[in-house]
Amino acid sequence: EIVLTQSPPTLSLSPGERATLSCRASQSVSNYLAWYQQKPGQAPRLLIYDASNRATDIPARFSGSGSGTEFTLTISSLAPEDFAVYYCQQRSDWPLTFGGGTKVEIK
Amino acid sequence: EVRLVESGGRLVKPGGSLRLSCAASGFSFSSYSMNWVRQAPGKGLEWVSYISSSSSYIHYGDSVRGRFTISRDNDKNSLNLQMNSLRVEDTGVYYCATPGPDNWNDLGYWGQGTLVTVSS
């Protein structure tokens, strides 16, 4: 199965700062990578699909980049509601797999 | 408005069985694939199973293959997960999820989840 490794596990930042989250795949997933945000007690929410496309109603401060095995989710200026856990997920091959998550916490 | 409502989660003993359901509304259910994704307490997301719109294609994660069975009833707009030979490590919140609205592949809609606890 394709293993997704997210780094760092935790990112401590202040509101207004830039967040850069990484996702590395054990083999190429082309651009078949998505990013999700999850807040405590809530279901995940799709942010980015196909590596770089923002999902409906997702603010422009969220952007995704990368292809093959290296991917990045960038939040250009952290809003208070952005502090959450972020997961990458590949759909290049079965089984679908998620990364272990990056928690973005308030510094 | 797309709505996915899971039900059926409860406390069950190891080795037992459970059937989860997901009631769908607000979209053309029969046109969309469906998935189950779970999350153990305090842990990350784990994809469990996939079923295509017409049930022609089904996939399972390695940890549940041979024990869980996914099915759907397009006439009743419902998705099911039959869980047999349950283990302590199957404990968690189970979400149903479907693609949309941006593409046919990524999980744009999720239910609120149902909690399964496997414990003696």
Side-chain angles (χ1 to χ4, degrees):
Chain A
E1 75 176 40
I2 297 175
V3 176
L4 299 178
T5 302
Q6 291 188 241
S7 61
T10 304
L11 203 49
S12 298
L13 295 168
S14 301
E17 288 194 295
R18 182 184 189 89
T20 303
L21 288 67
S22 174
C23 177
R24 175 174 292 178
S26 59
Q27 63 189 74
S28 177
V29 298
S30 184
N31 68 328
Y32 300 135
L33 190 107
W35 289 93
Y36 299 84
Q37 176 195 68
Q38 188 179 33
K39 298 179 181 178
Q42 296 184 17
R45 178 174 72 145
L46 177 65
L47 299 176
I48 301 288
Y49 65 94
D50 292 346
S52 60
N53 296 291
R54 266 191 309 277
T56 298
D57 295 332
I58 300 304
R61 63 181 180 272
F62 291 93
S63 64
S65 63
S67 65
T69 61
E70 300 282 344
F71 300 88
T72 301
L73 174 69
T74 301
I75 311 171
S76 59
S77 177
L78 281 164
E81 61 268 28
D82 298 339
F83 291 92
V85 180
Y86 294 82
Y87 296 94
C88 57
Q89 176 245 319
Q90 65 82 23
R91 62 174 182 86
S92 174
D93 197 10
W94 302 102
L96 305 185
T97 50
F98 287 90
T102 290
K103 181 179 182 180
V104 178
E105 65 177 22
I106 300 176
K107 186 174 181 180
Chain B
E1 177 195 5
V2 172
R3 195 156 186 244
L4 299 171
V5 180
E6 303 92 338
S7 61
R10 62 174 175 87
L11 173 64
V12 61
K13 287 182 167 49
S17 297
L18 203 57
R19 185 177 180 85
L20 304 184
S21 295
C22 172
S25 61
F27 67 107
S28 179
F29 180 76
S30 61
S31 298
Y32 286 80
S33 62
M34 297 294 297
N35 293 264
W36 288 100
V37 177
R38 69 183 180 183
Q39 187 168 37
K43 302 298 184 182
L45 301 171
E46 181 188 12
W47 172 79
V48 173
S49 186
Y50 161 96
I51 186 168
S52 63
S53 57
S54 62
S55 304
S56 297
Y57 298 98
I58 287 175
H59 296 279
Y60 297 101
D62 291 344
S63 62
V64 308
R65 188 177 295 112
R67 300 187 298 123
F68 290 10
T69 302
I70 192 172
S71 63
R72 65 190 293 161
D73 185 334
N74 286 345
D75 290 332
K76 295 182 179 178
N77 287 357
S78 69
L79 173 72
N80 301 296
L81 186 68
Q82 178 66 41
M83 309 164 67
N84 298 331
S85 303
L86 282 162
R87 304 168 180 169
V88 171
E89 54 266 34
D90 293 320
T91 294
V93 175
Y94 284 70
Y95 297 99
C96 63
T98 190
D102 301 291
N103 65 14
W104 292 90
N105 303 299
D106 297 291
L107 305 179
Y109 295 111
W110 296 67
Q112 85 290 345
T114 187
L115 177 62
V116 172
T117 304
V118 184
S119 174
S120 54

